């Protein structure tokens, strides 16, 4: 075994699971082979509020091959949980349209689908309240918001800061309901054996899922095992168990056979979470030179009556820019709607759309270049905590991006071109916390000269397996081909959820620690090859507790160029560039994929994504990928992501920051700012639909 560095980190390694995925050998949650497999199909509520009066399953049960129909009348009882959505089939109460009210189980999927359609559920319908508005009478102040942040923060006197300002902005911005829509639907294969529960689940975190499911079914954690070997995306929606997982386990217990349950695309719009709509008021006050004197950001959003989820929409505003007088707040309305949950960069993504749009408006009002305005308000310390930043290279990203994108030619681009289109450029800042959670890992030396690393990490398509191989190889001082990584099984050493862009930092630190400890033990034993395998475990809890307080964030700058047809009001994004400062990049190949993926999702947010509510029926309208539009290849003309060489010694052994979410943050604002630059029309409500521009564009027939 070599003890020299192999420099695997930083190399563009191919994904270690690439061949398995492209050849179809990789098995997902409902592709696990089991004997006597049964199939389950959900039945969902057709009213938005009320109670179930009766469930008539006779016709469904009469079908050959039907094994059971579950409802609140006969489902196994489960334990209270923090997430009221998981108390599924426990009550006749209906809390939202699309809630799970029954489940048909049969020998085949086709029969289960037929049976589900034959289950007759009768309701006593109640009044429903499903539309969020700024002055909603149900608004309240939650105890805290997602990730444990205080709901409200104040510093100085916002009103005084606004009063002394020479230039002020006071505008309201809104983002609609958005749905995650990963390619693989939420799905579970459940089986019981001698009272133990096995779940193959499309999950972003097997350790956390085991704890939750053990609580729900009143079991010791050791009697629950969750495996998620391959996951076809999640964007946050698979971060915690959803109600279908509970139903699959219930069904398997009732029929005493393994049960396979995949949520349909339409059902994914109701039972798997979504990004809450937001209404955000941003108030900025500045001196004539653009120096901020006041920063106010108030967010209104919705939650369900089953589970409180308060997105931290205004929290990032506490950190972004210097200014002595500040106020941020969050208010919630509990409506008769499904429960919102995590969606890629929850809080930061919609919050930065509002803040960075307002900064663009302030720059215009001050007669400043938007980049220069941001540079003039760069803080020396984190305004939220007073702590030093571990590293903060936002200005460098803005400067580098401006040169790459041709920002100096921005004003020459504006106006109608030879093709009659209106073109403009926009910029916005990106930011995301560099989180890290406690994790454990085990590393073993195998008699044949190889090494096995084990951690309950989850690869949701990000390349986590590959990154962990690279981290382990460098810590061991060996070629990556000698390292095998076992992940995504709750029986392995604890690994936190693949969320918050914290996966690689969390699992990787534990892997680095386990491998470094193993190297020391092998050296003590006199060599790498032993008749009996040698192993070492490592837990990062004490390391995290010992870290000095620092403000740890990744930063970036987003640049967009758009072309707008003045006749049709169609907006096309011609170019996107993201420049990021995210510590040491573990794998450039997978990192670029992650960053570009986030940027495309941000473009989609800016121009397309919107789930519409039918106020009369109390349910989502466009619950498929025909009506809920996401960006496709034709929408992404030219896109590039680059990063600065950033060294930050205050992070983790790899010096890395998470990159899964920063790509989406700021992109929508950059596009909206580019639309304003091209047209003079400020769109403060996403998405930038045709009807929000038509008739308002210069050169349009009815522009007035």
């Amino acid at each position: 075994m070599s003890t020299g560095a192999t420099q695997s980190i930083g190399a563009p390694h191919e994904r270690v699971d690439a061949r398995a995925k492209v050849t179809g050998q990789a098995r997902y949650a409902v592709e696990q082979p089991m004997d006597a497999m049964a199939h389950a199909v959900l039945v969902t509520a057709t009213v938005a509020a009320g109670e179930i009066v009766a469930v008539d399953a006779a016709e469904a049960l009469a079908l050959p091959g039907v094994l059971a129909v579950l409802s609140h009348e006969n489902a196994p009882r489960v334990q209270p949980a923090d997430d009221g959505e998981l108390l599924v089939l426990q009550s006749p109460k209906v809390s939202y349209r699309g809630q799970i009210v029954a489940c048909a189980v049969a020998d085949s999927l086709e029969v289960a689908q037929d049976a589900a359609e034959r289950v007759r559920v009768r309701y006593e319908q109640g009044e429903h309240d499903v539309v969020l508005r700024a002055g909603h009478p149900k608004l309240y102040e939650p105890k805290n918001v997602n990730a444990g942040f205080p709901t409200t923060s104040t510093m100085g006197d916002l009103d005084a800061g606004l009063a002394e300002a020479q230039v002020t902005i006071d505008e309201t911005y809104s983002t609609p309901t958005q749905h995650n829509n990963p390619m693989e639907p939420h799905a579970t294969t459940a089986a019981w054996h001698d009272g133990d529960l096995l779940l193959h689940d499309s999950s972003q975190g097997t350790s956390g899922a085991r704890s939750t499911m053990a609580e729900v079914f009143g079991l010791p954690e050791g009697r629950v095992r969750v495996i998620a070997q391959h996951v076809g995306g999640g964007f946050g929606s698979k971060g915690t168990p959803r109600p279908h997982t509970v139903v699959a386990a219930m069904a398997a217990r009732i029929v005493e056979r393994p049960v396979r349950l995949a949520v349909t695309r339409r059902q994914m719009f109701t039972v798997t979470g979504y990004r809450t709509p937001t209404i955000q008021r941003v108030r900025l006050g500045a001196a004539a030179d653009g120096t901020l004197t006041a920063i106010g950001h108030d967010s209104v959003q919705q939650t369900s009556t089953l589970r409180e989820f308060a997105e931290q929409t205004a929290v990032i505003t506490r950190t972004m820019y210097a200014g002595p007088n500040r106020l941020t707040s969050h208010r919630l309305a509990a409506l008769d709607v499904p429960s919102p949950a995590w969606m890629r960069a929850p809080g930061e993504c919609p919050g930065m759309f509002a803040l960075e749009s307002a900064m663009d408006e302030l720059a215009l009002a001050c007669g400043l270049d938007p980049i220069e305005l941001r540079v003039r308000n760069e803080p020396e310390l984190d305004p939220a905590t007073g702590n030093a930043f571990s590293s903060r290279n936002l200005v460098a990203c803005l400067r580098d991006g401006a040169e790459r994108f041709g920002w100096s030619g921005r004003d020459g681009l504006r106006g109608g071109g030879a093709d009659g289109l209106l073109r403009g450029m926009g910029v916005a800042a990106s930011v995301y916390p560099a989180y890290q959670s406690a994790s454990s890992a085990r590393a073993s030396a195998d008699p044949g000269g190889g090494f096995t690393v084990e951690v309950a990490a989850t690869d949701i398509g990000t390349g986590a397996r590959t990154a962990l191989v690279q981290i382990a190889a460098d810590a061991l001082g060996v070629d990556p081909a000698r390292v095998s990584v076992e992940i995504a099984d709750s029986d392995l050493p604890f690994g936190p959820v693949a969320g918050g862009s914290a996966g690689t930092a969390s699992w990787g630190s534990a892997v680095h620690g386990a491998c470094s400890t193993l190297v020391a033990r092998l050296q003590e034993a006199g060599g790498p090859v032993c008749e009996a395998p040698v192993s070492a475990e490592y837990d990062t809890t004490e390391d995290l507790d010992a870290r000095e307080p620092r403000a740890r964030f990744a930063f970036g700058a987003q640049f967009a160029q758009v072309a707008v047809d003045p006749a049709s009001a169609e907006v096309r994004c011609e170019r996107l560039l993201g420049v990021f400062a995210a510590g040491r990049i573990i794998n450039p190949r997978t990192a670029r994929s992650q960053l570009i993926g986030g940027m495309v999702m941000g473009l989609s947010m800016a121009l397309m994504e919107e789930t519409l509510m039918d106020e009369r029926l109390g349910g989502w309208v466009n619950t498929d990928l025909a009506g809920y539009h996401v960006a496709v290849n034709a929408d992404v003309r030219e896109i590039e992501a680059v990063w600065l060489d950033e060294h930050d010694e205050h992070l983790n052994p790899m010096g890395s920051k998470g990159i899964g979410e920063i790509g989406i943050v700021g992109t929508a604002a950059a596009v909206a700012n580019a639309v304003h630059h091209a047209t003079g029309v400020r769109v403060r409500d996403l998405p930038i639909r045709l009807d929000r521009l038509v008739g308002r564009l210069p050169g349009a027939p009815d522009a007035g």
Side-chain angles (χ1 to χ4, degrees), residues 117-156:
E117 292 178 0
R118 295 170 186 260
V119 175
R120 309 289 180 237
V121 182
R122 190 157 53 88
Y123 305 92
E124 181 178 323
Q125 189 168 350
E127 296 282 333
H128 60 255
D129 183 0
V130 295
V131 177
L132 180 68
R133 57 187 187 276
H136 201 292
K138 292 182 180 178
L139 287 176
Y140 69 96
E141 182 177 4
K143 183 177 180 181
N144 51 42
V145 294
N146 186 44
F149 289 106
T151 302
T152 302
S153 71
T154 59
M155 182 183 298

Side-chain angles (χ1 to χ4, degrees), residues 402 405-414 425 561 575 677:
F405 204 66
W407 185 257
S408 61
R410 177 176 186 249
D411 289 337
L413 178 74
R414 187 177 185 179
M425 288 185 186
Q561 177 179 313
R575 293 194 294 148
H677 183 242

Side-chain angles (χ1 to χ4, degrees), residues 343-434:
M343 183 171 174
R344 199 174 199 165
E348 290 81 7
C349 183
M352 286 290 281
F353 164 69
L355 177 62
E356 291 300 286
S357 295
M359 287 292 284
D360 199 67
E361 298 201 52
L362 181 63
L364 185 65
C366 291
L368 288 174
D369 179 273
I371 292 177
E372 181 60 28
L373 175 69
R374 289 168 172 82
V375 172
R376 291 186 184 187
N377 289 285
E378 179 73 357
E380 293 185 9
L381 301 174
D382 177 19
T385 63
N387 293 330
F389 289 97
S390 65
S391 58
R392 180 179 169 118
N393 285 301
L394 173 59
V395 172
C397 291
L398 289 165
R399 298 292 195 212
D400 185 88
E403 183 176 349
R404 291 174 184 269
F405 204 66
W407 185 257
S408 61
R410 177 176 186 249
D411 289 337
L413 178 74
R414 187 177 185 179
D419 54 8
L421 301 180
L422 306 173
R423 286 184 170 82
M425 288 185 186
V427 67
S430 292
V431 61
Y432 198 80

Side-chain angles (χ1 to χ4, degrees), residues 1-2 4 6-9 13-17 441-446 448-455 464-487 507-508 510-512 514-516 518-519 522:
M1 180 182 71
S2 168
T6 63
Q7 297 182 352
S8 179
I9 292 177
H13 281 283
E14 294 182 359
R15 294 173 185 255
V16 296
D17 55 356
R442 180 167 51 244
S444 304
D446 305 324
F451 297 87
T452 300
V453 174
E454 299 170 289
V455 56
R465 274 187 179 84
T466 310
L468 293 177
V469 166
Q470 293 175 258
I471 292 167
D474 277 8
L476 292 166
V478 301
D479 188 278
R482 293 173 62 185
V483 179
S484 173
V485 171
E486 300 293 333
I487 65 169
W507 314 317
V511 166
H512 180 276
C515 290
S516 298
L518 177 62
V519 168
L522 288 171

Side-chain angles (χ1 to χ4, degrees), residues 15 50 65 108 150 157 202 251 269 300 380 427 484 489 495 546 548 554 557 618 636 687:
R15 294 173 185 255
S108 71
D157 187 328
S202 186
F269 280 80
V300 169
E380 293 185 9
V427 67
S484 173
D489 186 334
E548 64 176 309
V636 185

Side-chain angles (χ1 to χ4, degrees), residues 28 101 108 145 198 215 311 410 482 504 547 586 696:
Y28 291 78
V101 295
S108 71
V145 294
L198 170 64
E215 178 186 358
E311 188 155 294
R410 177 176 186 249
R482 293 173 62 185
T504 300
R547 289 203 304 183
I586 304 297
R696 303 173 64 191

Side-chain angles (χ1 to χ4, degrees), residues 4-38:
T6 63
Q7 297 182 352
S8 179
I9 292 177
H13 281 283
E14 294 182 359
R15 294 173 185 255
V16 296
D17 55 356
R19 179 172 293 276
K21 287 188 173 180
V22 300
T23 59
Q25 297 175 56
R27 294 188 184 274
Y28 291 78
V30 291
E31 297 178 324
Q32 305 300 322
M34 291 187 184
D35 294 335
M37 183 72 73

